[in-house]
Amino acid sequence: MKKTNSLGGWCLNLTIWLAALLWLLPILVAVWVAIHPASDQASFSLFSPLTFDNFIKAWHAAPFARYFLNTTLLVLMIVAVQLVLATMAAYALVRFKMKLSGVIFALILLQLMISPDVLILNNYKTIGALGLRDTLTGIALPYFASAFAIFLLRQTFKSIPLVLEEAAIVEGASRFYILRKIYIPLAKPIYIAFALVSISFHWNDFLWPLVITDSVNVRPLTVGLQLFSAPEQGVQWALIGAATLMTTLPLLVLFLIFQRQFIQSFMRAGIR
């Protein structure tokens, strides 16, 4: 029995390592192409000379500084508004007595079942009617209300004892003070978990920004990288690899810095 369990564990570990290697292989190829001259990219020789000229050329070949600025502002705007709106909505659903609170929450959950791509045409018409096409606000507006964030925070707020809020009310605390001093600190793991997921998603979002933007002034990294690597521009794998690494590096650094908080947050963010 022990030998069978040992063999099963060995096979499971081997499968996990193979899957990790397959996931890592495109990144390794991109790194190799980016740090070697064009003449040595296909040789895969350990003694090939290294160069960082590809990063410099890629940076100057397209307005990546503007792309980085646009993406950073866009992601920060979306995440900040999502957290504020989700906090208010979750608190209202949990602590305010409303006859249709269950129906409202069901309608909010219905958003989770609808793919954002299905609403692109309607969103485009709405953003155009508001005069926000080709603006950062126009890109971010459809994502401001997050049903997933409301769901997570509602489940967390429900687990917080009501006696804490009642004691604060007796002491004369306002609703906003209670929210800031009791609910938000106790839900910190959920905020961290959702913020990291939201940042990763919107940093890599491509289809909606591609549809709604026309100019470099508001174009995010994903759209800029796609235009940079378009076949009509000439396929230069060294520059494409370098540009790809530059655009993904912030997320990799963010994950390496907050990986412990990221894992702990999701372990504590279970549905109660």
Side-chain angles (χ1 to χ4, degrees), residues 1 83 94-96 105 108 116 126 134-135 141 143 204 207:
M1 181 65 70
L83 293 179
V94 171
R95 293 300 182 231
F96 292 166
F105 184 60
I108 292 174
T126 303
D134 199 28
T135 63
L141 189 58
Y143 298 107
N204 294 311
L207 185 57

Side-chain angles (χ1 to χ4, degrees), residues 88-129:
M88 299 296 182
Y91 180 76
L93 290 172
V94 171
R95 293 300 182 231
F96 292 166
K97 295 182 179 180
M98 297 179 290
K99 294 182 179 180
L100 300 178
S101 60
V103 177
I104 295 174
F105 184 60
L107 293 176
I108 292 174
L109 290 182
L110 187 63
Q111 180 186 343
L112 296 174
M113 306 177 189
I114 302 175
S115 174
D117 296 341
V118 177
L119 303 174
I120 282 183
L121 180 58
N122 291 331
N123 288 338
Y124 184 86
K125 292 179 179 178
T126 303
I127 297 300

Side-chain angles (χ1 to χ4, degrees), residues 78-79 81-87 89-90 93 105 107-109 111-112 140-154 194-195 197-198 201-202:
I78 292 175
V79 174
V81 176
Q82 281 181 336
L83 293 179
V84 172
L85 293 180
T87 300
L93 290 172
F105 184 60
L107 293 176
I108 292 174
L109 290 182
Q111 180 186 343
L112 296 174
L141 189 58
Y143 298 107
F144 280 167
S146 172
F148 183 55
I150 295 173
F151 171 74
L152 288 178
L153 291 175
R154 176 184 179 272
F194 175 78
V197 172
S198 183
F201 175 81
H202 294 292

